[in-house]
Amino acid sequence: MAKQDSTLHPRPGVAFLGMPAFTEAAHIALGDDQLRRNLGRATRTIRDKRTRAVGELEDWQDLRTAAAMIKDRTLADLDRHLEQFEAAATAAGATVHWAADADEAVRISTEIVRAHQGTDVIKVKSMATQEIGLNEAFAEDGINAWETDLAELIIQLGGDTPSHFLVPAIHRNREEIRQIFLDRMAEVGRPAPDDLTDEPRRLAEAARLHLREKFLTTSIGFSGANFAVAETGTLVVLESEGNGRMCLTLPDVLVSVVGIEKLLPTFADLEVFMQVLPRSSTAERMNPYTTMWTGVTEGDGPQELHIILLDNGRTRALADNTGRQALRCIRCSACLNVCPVYERVGGHAYGSVYPGPIGAILNPLLHGVSDEHDAALPFASSLCGACYEACPVKIDIPTVLIEQRAEVVEERADSGRPSAEALAMRIAAWTFADHRRLERAQKVASKAGPVVQHVRRLPGMLGGWTASRDLPPIPDESFHQWWERTRGADR
């Protein structure tokens, strides 16, 4: 079995640093047989279950359209909805903070924990906190952040990073998880039983007992939110294990880091998303644990609620007329499960907490394409369109990818650093622009024909073409010459 190169694992919370760009990372991932077996089995299972769950609804396409329209309507008037949410949440007893970037969000979070002399926090699974590198920032400041989602716990104990929205440990099999529990649980709390097996029931039991101590001894909780309702100031979290509800209700202080694109105008709008999200993510008709909270209630749940509204590149994405549709994303992962590229390379190759087709467009939208890692992602697709067909909010990922590829080409041209491909295209354009140049090039190629027919592999980027194809023979004469010699002579 080929082993995955250690350089493929991004540092937790620090996307891209220490990672090769996607093209190189994909080659490394393709050499890991175990990874591809785990991914193939998991995505195939999730994909089949989702297809059956979606097929039960005759109005599925209407729901997709409705969800997309609600999101677009919200984004078109986002500033007003954000102010409305802030006013409603504040009136209900919450404290609303605004964070322009990851550093500001981390600073606010740290100040809240320090204000309560906290050394430990428990967390609900949250993409936003992963995006800002909250756990790692806390660790540098002497604060322990404990993940309570089962898959996130596996990732944290294993010193790993998530490779899937919904199934962060999708690249791990049961035996690997058992060994992680045996090796690492004792270092941070209640140890795993010595007779632990790889039976799912036993693994879940070990995690439950380990986490129970964290729930009962930690007074500060952190979460994200799947949705934020502007008219009521309500936050909504959907999860499948029940651990999230404990994390949201047991602590004295709750801090929710929420991306500004999570807004929905009204409570009634939730109806559509309560149907499309469970079926698209876990293939369930109804989500098992849906928790909603509005401000604070005396004697019930956290008595102090902080909401950090996070931008961190989202207004940049909003300014992109084509790409802004990516902000409709509800993190269901349906696009990952149908993507032939993701199924073969997994999430780490994307070098970001947002992998797969949506990550391929979201990262360049949030950061731009000046970095080589972001610039490589729009090409991490076969453009088959399966992601668009699966997306419950109708994000046209292929169209965005094509526009971003053009942006990458323009960026490279503006920087004065043309790629080998761009340079080849420029030479070709110069040659084809004048028939005399083209004829001279054809004569040179014809003379080189006898030599070229013995070439089996071309160097550089052309090597990818000859790796799977034979180099065609170069004819002795051009089409123009042939025409003149045959039919042209009869005119």
Side-chain angles (χ1 to χ4, degrees):
M1 180 184 74
K3 295 299 292 181
Q4 191 170 342
D5 193 293
S6 60
T7 59
L8 189 55
H9 292 280
R11 298 177 190 176
V14 190
F16 300 141
L17 288 182
M19 279 281 297
F22 179 84
T23 307
E24 183 181 347
H27 279 291
I28 297 171
L30 288 171
D32 189 333
D33 299 335
Q34 183 65 57
L35 173 70
R36 286 192 286 118
R37 275 196 295 273
N38 293 351
L39 286 169
R41 187 182 306 116
T43 55
R44 190 164 49 250
T45 300
I46 299 171
R47 193 165 56 232
D48 292 345
K49 289 175 63 179
R50 178 190 174 276
T51 300
R52 290 193 294 272
V54 167
E56 294 177 348
L57 295 181
E58 293 182 358
D59 61 345
W60 176 250
Q61 295 304 326
D62 293 336
L63 284 169
R64 290 180 70 208
T65 302
M69 291 178 67
I70 291 170
K71 280 288 188 177
D72 283 349
R73 190 180 75 234
T74 309
L75 292 171
D77 204 10
L78 186 58
D79 53 346
R80 185 175 66 83
H81 293 307
L82 284 168
E83 291 178 354
Q84 185 184 15
F85 174 83
E86 180 187 28
T90 302
T95 301
V96 178
H97 309 262
W98 297 82
D101 53 28
D103 290 341
E104 189 169 12
V106 168
R107 179 184 58 75
I108 295 169
S109 301
T110 305
E111 289 175 356
I112 294 170
V113 176
R114 287 299 179 212
H116 293 83
Q117 291 80 48
T119 58
D120 296 75
V121 304
I122 52 176
K123 288 184 62 199
V124 186
K125 182 179 182 300
S126 161
M127 300 298 296
T129 58
Q130 291 175 14
E131 176 187 328
I132 63 176
L134 187 64
N135 289 15
E136 296 68 36
F138 274 173
E140 293 178 0
D141 213 24
I143 300 170
N144 299 309
W146 305 114
E147 296 288 351
T148 63
D149 176 85
L150 174 58
E152 293 290 349
L153 174 67
I154 296 166
I155 293 294
Q156 186 175 41
L157 291 175
D160 206 348
T161 48
S163 63
H164 191 280
F165 293 159
L166 184 66
V167 195
I170 194 173
H171 55 292
R172 298 288 192 185
N173 58 34
R174 288 187 292 172
E175 177 52 33
E176 290 175 312
I177 294 169
R178 170 184 169 276
Q179 198 58 51
I180 289 172
F181 281 6
L182 288 172
D183 292 343
R184 302 301 304 280
M185 272 189 171
E187 298 175 13
V188 293
R190 179 176 178 134
D194 293 335
D195 61 346
L196 182 66
T197 69
D198 65 358
E199 185 184 357
R201 183 180 62 82
R202 295 294 310 280
L203 294 172
E205 179 185 32
R208 187 167 57 247
L209 293 172
H210 177 84
L211 289 172
R212 185 61 57 93
E213 289 186 350
K214 306 295 185 190
F215 287 130
L216 296 178
T217 58
T218 310
S219 61
I220 304 175
F222 272 76
S223 80
N226 293 97
F227 304 103
V229 182
E231 69 174 355
T232 59
T234 302
L235 295 179
V236 184
V237 164
L238 282 70
E239 42 111 8
S240 301
E241 300 170 4
N243 59 303
R245 180 163 295 174
M246 296 181 75
C247 195
L248 294 166
T249 55
L250 289 177
D252 299 324
V253 180
L254 178 61
V255 184
S256 300
V257 183
V258 183
I260 58 175
E261 83 282 13
K262 298 294 186 182
L263 266 288
L264 294 178
T266 69
F267 213 85
D269 292 324
L270 273 175
E271 176 194 353
V272 173
F273 294 94
M274 289 298 102
Q275 296 180 73
V276 297
L277 180 52
R279 290 180 187 266
S280 293
S281 55
T282 54
E284 292 169 302
R285 295 167 178 160
M286 182 177 177
N287 192 64
Y289 294 90
T290 301
T291 304
M292 304 182 188
W293 67 103
T294 307
V296 296
T297 302
E298 185 176 355
D300 184 12
Q303 295 301 292
E304 186 173 321
L305 171 62
H306 296 267
I307 301 171
I308 302 174
L309 294 173
L310 177 69
D311 184 333
N312 204 33
R314 285 160 175 78
T315 51
R316 185 187 189 285
L318 190 62
D320 187 311
N321 289 332
T322 302
R324 69 170 57 173
Q325 59 185 300
L327 297 179
R328 298 177 195 157
C329 179
I330 54 176
R331 311 289 192 263
C332 69
S333 72
C335 63
L336 278 67
N337 300 327
V338 299
C339 177
V341 176
Y342 177 87
E343 184 175 336
R344 284 158 179 80
V345 304
H348 289 161
Y350 294 81
S352 166
V353 297
Y354 299 116
I358 187 63
I361 63 171
L362 194 55
N363 286 293
L365 284 167
L366 295 176
H367 314 133
V369 294
S370 56
D371 181 276
E372 63 170 324
H373 301 88
D374 292 309
L377 291 177
F379 300 90
S381 170
S382 64
L383 298 180
C384 67
C387 49
Y388 172 63
E389 295 298 326
C391 179
V393 289
K394 285 190 168 181
I395 300 173
D396 188 354
I397 293 176
T399 295
V400 180
L401 285 168
I402 291 170
E403 290 226 351
Q404 288 180 334
R405 290 180 183 187
E407 187 180 348
V408 171
V409 172
E410 292 173 2
E411 172 75 17
R412 287 172 177 166
D414 293 342
S415 68
R417 297 180 288 102
S419 64
E421 181 183 5
L423 189 60
M425 290 297 107
R426 287 184 188 180
I427 294 173
W430 179 80
T431 304
F432 283 100
D434 188 305
H435 73 93
R436 288 164 297 189
R437 296 177 198 148
L438 179 60
E439 289 167 0
R440 285 196 291 272
Q442 289 169 334
K443 288 179 182 178
V444 172
S446 296
K447 291 180 179 178
V451 177
V452 171
Q453 65 181 348
H454 298 292
V455 175
R456 291 290 177 266
R457 184 174 177 79
L458 292 172
M461 67 174 186
L462 297 177
W465 195 86
T466 54
S468 57
R469 304 174 182 85
D470 293 329
L471 198 63
I474 298 178
D476 296 331
E477 58 184 357
S478 66
F479 174 80
H480 185 77
Q481 292 168 332
W482 172 83
W483 180 265
E484 290 295 332
R485 182 172 58 79
T486 57
R487 299 183 187 181
D490 298 333
R491 286 183 301 180

